[in-house]
Amino acid sequence: MFIKRNTALEKRIFILFFIITFILVITLIFIEWQLARYGINQYEDVNIKNTLSKLKIMQNEIKFEKQVLLKSLKTDIKITQAIQNENVELLNDHIINNYEQSNVNNLTILSKDRRYLFGVKWQLIDKYLSQIIRDVAKENAGNFIGNYGGKLFLINYDPIYVSNDVTELVAVLIMVDNFDLASLKLNSDFQLSLISYDDKLTENSLPGNLAKFSTNINEIVEKLADEKLDTAVQKLSIDNAVGMSIFYNLDDEPSGIFIVSYKRYINQFIQQSILIFILILLAITLIMVSLLGSWFSNTILIPVKYIRNKMQDISKNPSKLEPIEGQNYSGVLGDMVNSFNTMNIALSKHGQILREYKELTDNLDTGIFWLNNRFELILYNPSFVRILGIPEDQISHKNLSELMGLEDNKFAKLYDGPVTFSNLKIYPNNNLKYITMNIRAVTHEKRLKFYGSIIDVTKHIKEAEARKSLELELIKSNKLADIGKRIEGIVHNINSPLNTILGYAQLIKKNQKENTDIDRIIDAGKNIAQTVKGLLTKVKQSNISIDRNIDVNKLISQELDFCKHNLFFKHYVLLNTDFQKNLPNVTASYGDLSLCTANVINNAIQAMKDSVQKELSIKTYENSGFVYIEITDSGEGIPQKNIEKIFETYFSTKTEKSGTGFGLGLAITKNIIEKYRGEIKVESKLDHGTTFTLILPVTKGQ
């Protein structure tokens, strides 16, 4: 059955890797395909725009050439004088004799009253004459593309003004030239078209390959005209793309269109590439599945199985804890193995402590017992069995009242608080005995339990020595009850992370999903060691209430270790420490000083909950016989009006914001610090943070 499960697991892993690899390769090919399409589109756009740019250049060159000619005519004094004298014959002779015929063939000169002084009368000029006169009235020279009879013409004009007392228009020079592909001298591999535009393009006015797109092209022209734009590049279909340049007359109305028709080859590219893509897909998929499968099996699957087997061995026999040796793991697995070995060491130590506690309770004369909420015996020591005088196989999970021959309501007062039964008569197996019994109720994990101790006082009930002995035993029993509760807490803190480790290890075995499960195993193991170690250290130190020499740096470090159990502090707060080396000790109770530093640090962490920057800085140093502890946060700060109030009893800013806090922490801290002839100071700036400084005198003689 185990072999079949492993085989099925490996098949699922292979399928999972195949699917992941396939999706990855498909994604890469899709990206490659999109990049290819983008490259093709960019290539098309660049070629079309280059052709449109060449059109602009050639158009500007022709315009410039004609404008230079018009300027030379405009500045010719004899031409101006002939026009002013209305000597048409002199004007014609001078132009014909002094200018090349090819340059003035298309020249027309109109008087200010629109009479033709030179050149042939053109209906084309009459069509745009009003626009030209309107513009030259502003003393402007210019040019535009006009259309007439289905052809396009480049029209350049320049006014002649004379200045006497006032500036007066005397004539307009107009140069009309054919505007066609031959005059532009454009060289291109694309199909080029110059089309006259009056109102709308028809299929007959467009080249054959673009005739079916007449509606699309008209929409593009209308959109460009509305937006006063002159160029556009448009993909009409998967096979055709066009670049368009719109020419406007002086009324900003479209008069002509230059079209670059581009034949696209993207379909051919798709057909030729699809087979190559499929072959690449299959090859890469097989290679990646093989490599990833081999790597995963050797690097993760086999080591995890080994670690899982070791954990299963521990779960079957917890008393036999052995570290994982003889295997060299690195990375996350190495960290997990180290954490596992650290957990084993911690479990061994705490197992030894439990055995010592058991040995202690087993050798007490006092009977120790543990009841559930139905007063049935769950756990007890040998002295309890001896005192009752009942065989052990008749005690377990029996009702205590029935065993002792007591009334059922005898323990009803336990729900109100601890109860001590002194010189209680009991009748186990119908034998009379006198005992003193102490029982208390404890709620643990929402379940009610009872812990108690029992002493047999039958032989010594009337003797004073027996009573004194009983008092001592009762004191011991109370302490042992607390010890029992602490044992349970330790066992819980050990078993819960261990169960987490085993659970996630089994989850890896079943599902083999993401490696975050392994991280959680590591976190659980570390949590066990750190929590128990820190708790025991703090409890031992805090139980010593006498004043003694305290290493401030060490105390603060221990408090910061406990703060790491605060998820907000652990994941979001940046901690900076600057501890002076060889810092002198101070004289105080460890519990008092621990409480003071914990209060201030916890307040600092709470103050940064809503801050953008979350930084906690702690600095220690000695100056003039005093030890200084500076605790700085980057929180919201304290309003100046509250600086003096924060040390008052029951004053708290937390109550208004979160409904928590009683206003006792800083008040207690101030009283404790002043008790040891110290001082506490505070500096704060709104939206920047707060600094608390604890000042304590150095231990005498240092």
Side-chain angles (χ1 to χ4, degrees):
M1 179 65 71
F2 183 74
I3 295 175
K4 289 182 179 179
R5 287 182 179 177
N6 281 346
T7 303
L9 177 62
E10 291 173 357
K11 287 181 179 179
R12 288 197 296 270
I13 293 173
F14 177 81
I15 294 172
L16 176 63
F17 270 110
F18 182 84
I19 293 173
I20 293 174
T21 305
F22 186 81
I23 293 173
L24 178 62
V25 173
I26 284 289
T27 303
L28 292 175
I29 290 178
F30 177 76
I31 293 173
E32 180 185 357
W33 166 242
Q34 291 300 321
L35 290 175
R37 287 189 59 192
Y38 175 77
I40 292 171
N41 289 333
Q42 289 296 104
Y43 175 77
E44 293 173 351
D45 289 350
V46 168
N47 285 337
I48 293 174
K49 288 179 180 178
N50 284 340
T51 303
L52 295 177
S53 298
K54 291 178 182 179
L55 169 69
K56 289 288 185 182
I57 294 171
M58 296 305 297
Q59 182 181 352
N60 290 333
E61 288 179 356
I62 296 173
K63 289 179 180 178
F64 179 75
E65 179 183 345
K66 300 303 179 182
Q67 288 171 354
V68 169
L69 178 59
L70 290 177
K71 289 294 181 183
S72 66
L73 293 168
K74 177 180 179 180
T75 56
D76 192 322
I77 297 175
K78 291 184 178 181
I79 292 177
T80 304
Q81 290 175 347
I83 294 173
Q84 286 180 301
N85 297 328
E86 297 184 357
N87 192 337
V88 176
E89 182 179 353
L90 177 62
L91 176 63
N92 281 267
D93 289 342
H94 179 75
I95 293 175
I96 293 171
N97 294 328
N98 291 278
Y99 293 91
E100 292 184 10
Q101 189 67 24
S102 60
N103 290 336
V104 296
N105 280 339
N106 297 326
L107 174 65
T108 300
I109 301 178
L110 298 177
S111 65
K112 63 180 179 181
D113 54 359
R114 303 188 184 186
R115 288 183 298 107
Y116 282 81
L117 302 178
F118 180 85
V120 180
K121 182 176 181 180
W122 284 43
Q123 291 181 345
L124 169 65
I125 295 177
D126 292 339
K127 178 179 179 180
Y128 294 105
L129 186 56
S130 297
Q131 298 179 19
I132 295 173
I133 295 299
R134 184 176 64 244
D135 196 39
V136 299
K138 304 174 185 176
E139 300 185 22
N140 291 336
N143 56 73
F144 63 94
I145 303 296
N147 61 36
Y148 185 78
K151 295 182 180 181
L152 297 179
F153 298 89
L154 174 61
I155 303 173
N156 287 274
Y157 57 90
D158 202 345
I160 298 177
Y161 279 87
V162 294
S163 298
N164 295 319
D165 294 334
V166 294
T167 301
E168 181 183 4
L169 175 68
V170 296
V172 179
L173 304 177
I174 301 175
M175 184 74 71
V176 178
D177 292 282
N178 287 329
F179 191 72
D180 52 25
L181 295 177
S183 62
L184 291 172
K185 299 178 182 179
L186 288 176
N187 295 321
S188 176
D189 295 330
F190 309 137
Q191 181 179 354
L192 308 179
S193 304
L194 270 173
I195 304 171
S196 174
Y197 184 90
D198 286 314
D199 181 34
K200 187 173 291 186
L201 295 173
T202 63
E203 293 184 3
N204 295 330
S205 62
L206 292 169
N209 63 317
L210 298 180
K212 61 182 178 181
F213 300 110
S214 59
T215 302
N216 304 76
I217 295 175
N218 279 313
E219 290 176 354
I220 297 171
V221 173
E222 291 174 2
K223 182 177 180 182
L224 290 174
D226 291 340
E227 297 177 1
K228 303 303 178 185
L229 301 176
D230 58 359
T231 59
V233 177
Q234 186 72 33
K235 309 298 187 298
L236 299 178
S237 68
I238 197 170
D239 294 318
N240 292 278
V242 294
M244 301 176 61
S245 183
I246 311 298
F247 307 115
Y248 295 93
N249 58 28
L250 292 179
D251 286 337
D252 289 332
E253 295 174 346
S255 59
I257 304 172
F258 176 76
I259 299 179
V260 181
S261 177
Y262 183 84
K263 183 68 175 179
R264 309 179 74 202
Y265 296 97
I266 193 166
N267 267 334
Q268 182 179 352
F269 174 78
I270 294 173
Q271 293 170 1
Q272 293 176 351
S273 301
I274 188 167
L275 180 60
I276 297 175
F277 283 153
I278 292 174
L279 293 177
I280 292 174
L281 171 63
L282 293 176
I284 295 178
T285 301
L286 292 175
I287 292 172
M288 292 189 68
V289 167
S290 177
L291 293 177
L292 289 177
S294 176
W295 173 84
F296 184 83
S297 177
N298 294 328
T299 307
I300 298 178
L301 186 59
I302 293 176
V304 167
K305 285 182 178 179
Y306 176 74
I307 296 172
R308 178 205 61 194
N309 293 335
K310 294 291 291 185
M311 291 181 175
Q312 287 179 342
D313 292 340
I314 293 175
S315 65
K316 293 176 182 178
N317 187 7
S319 62
K320 185 180 179 181
L321 297 175
E322 296 178 352
I324 297 177
E325 297 176 347
Q327 301 289 339
N328 294 322
Y329 299 117
S330 60
V332 176
L333 284 174
D335 294 340
M336 187 176 74
V337 170
N338 292 335
S339 299
F340 179 81
N341 290 336
T342 302
M343 182 194 70
N344 279 348
I345 295 173
L347 288 174
S348 297
K349 290 181 179 179
H350 291 296
Q352 179 63 29
I353 293 174
L354 291 176
R355 286 191 291 272
E356 291 174 355
Y357 279 135
K358 186 177 185 307
E359 183 179 357
L360 174 64
T361 56
D362 286 352
N363 289 281
L364 286 175
D365 291 334
T366 302
I368 307 297
F369 59 90
W370 171 15
L371 308 175
N372 60 19
N373 57 357
R374 295 186 298 275
F375 302 109
E376 295 173 347
L377 285 163
I378 303 300
L379 190 65
Y380 43 83
N381 67 345
S383 293
F384 179 81
V385 178
R386 176 181 53 78
I387 291 172
L388 290 184
I390 300 175
E392 186 173 354
D393 58 357
Q394 300 179 15
I395 291 179
S396 182
H397 293 89
K398 297 294 183 180
N399 185 278
L400 186 61
S401 298
E402 295 178 0
L403 286 175
M404 294 184 173
L406 301 174
E407 298 176 358
D408 293 337
N409 61 353
K410 194 68 175 179
F411 301 133
K413 294 182 180 181
L414 284 174
Y415 295 100
D416 299 327
V419 176
T420 299
F421 300 98
S422 300
N423 302 331
L424 178 66
K425 290 183 180 181
I426 63 172
Y427 301 91
N429 286 342
N430 295 323
N431 295 321
L432 174 62
K433 284 193 174 184
Y434 289 92
I435 62 168
T436 294
M437 182 167 59
N438 176 277
I439 305 178
R440 66 175 60 188
V442 176
T443 301
H444 182 68
E445 294 184 350
K446 298 182 180 181
R447 291 187 299 174
L448 187 64
K449 300 177 181 179
F450 300 95
Y451 299 93
S453 62
I454 182 173
I455 298 176
D456 186 357
V457 295
T458 302
K459 295 182 179 179
H460 311 286
I461 194 171
K462 294 182 180 180
E463 298 177 9
E465 264 184 62
R467 287 196 297 271
K468 291 180 181 180
S469 176
L470 177 61
E471 292 174 358
L472 291 175
E473 292 297 323
L474 286 174
I475 293 173
K476 291 180 182 179
S477 67
N478 287 332
K479 290 186 176 294
L480 287 173
D482 290 334
I483 292 173
K485 182 179 179 181
R486 188 173 299 172
I487 292 173
E488 183 187 16
I490 293 173
V491 171
H492 174 74
N493 285 340
I494 294 173
N495 286 338
S496 181
L498 177 59
N499 290 334
T500 301
I501 294 171
L502 294 175
Y504 281 103
Q506 292 169 356
L507 184 61
I508 293 173
K509 170 189 171 183
K510 292 181 178 180
N511 298 320
Q512 291 296 331
K513 292 185 177 179
E514 301 295 337
N515 286 347
T516 53
D517 294 341
I518 300 178
D519 293 333
R520 298 177 71 177
I521 295 174
I522 295 171
D523 292 341
K526 289 182 178 179
N527 185 44
I528 297 172
Q530 190 66 25
T531 300
V532 175
K533 180 181 177 181
L535 179 61
L536 290 178
T537 302
K538 183 174 178 62
V539 170
K540 289 178 182 178
Q541 295 283 2
S542 299
N543 285 339
I544 303 175
S545 59
I546 62 174
D547 293 351
R548 56 196 176 94
N549 291 344
I550 302 296
D551 184 338
V552 173
N553 289 344
K554 186 175 181 181
L555 181 142
I556 296 174
S557 297
Q558 290 175 347
E559 294 302 328
L560 290 175
D561 287 340
F562 273 91
C563 288
K564 292 178 182 177
H565 298 290
N566 183 323
L567 295 180
F568 171 77
F569 175 80
K570 180 177 180 181
H571 294 293
Y572 297 102
V573 176
L574 175 63
L575 175 64
N576 297 315
T577 58
D578 182 11
F579 295 161
Q580 176 182 322
K581 293 183 179 180
N582 302 319
L583 185 71
N585 292 338
V586 300
T587 301
S589 167
Y590 183 92
D592 287 347
L593 197 53
S594 173
L595 177 62
C596 292
T597 55
N599 281 342
V600 178
I601 291 174
N602 289 333
N603 284 350
I605 295 172
Q606 184 70 28
M608 294 186 289
K609 282 292 180 68
D610 298 324
S611 299
V612 176
Q613 182 180 2
K614 300 173 176 60
E615 185 173 351
L616 178 65
S617 300
I618 301 179
K619 179 180 180 181
T620 62
Y621 59 94
E622 185 265 345
N623 185 24
S624 302
F626 287 87
V627 170
Y628 289 75
I629 306 172
E630 289 184 359
I631 301 173
T632 303
D633 65 72
S634 60
E636 58 190 3
I638 304 172
Q640 195 62 35
K641 63 180 181 179
N642 293 336
I643 290 293
E644 297 300 326
K645 298 179 181 179
I646 58 175
F647 296 109
E648 296 177 5
T649 306
Y650 303 118
F651 178 83
S652 174
T653 59
K654 301 177 188 176
T655 306
E656 300 175 357
K657 297 179 179 180
S658 60
T660 61
F662 299 95
L664 298 175
L666 289 177
I668 293 173
T669 299
K670 186 174 186 295
N671 289 334
I672 292 175
I673 295 298
E674 291 178 347
K675 181 177 74 173
Y676 293 109
R677 295 178 292 109
E679 184 181 0
I680 181 170
K681 296 181 178 180
V682 59
E683 295 178 0
S684 184
K685 187 176 180 181
L686 283 178
D687 299 324
H688 286 78
T690 304
T691 298
F692 280 88
T693 304
L694 308 182
I695 307 172
L696 291 167
V698 173
T699 300
K700 293 181 179 180
Q702 291 197 74

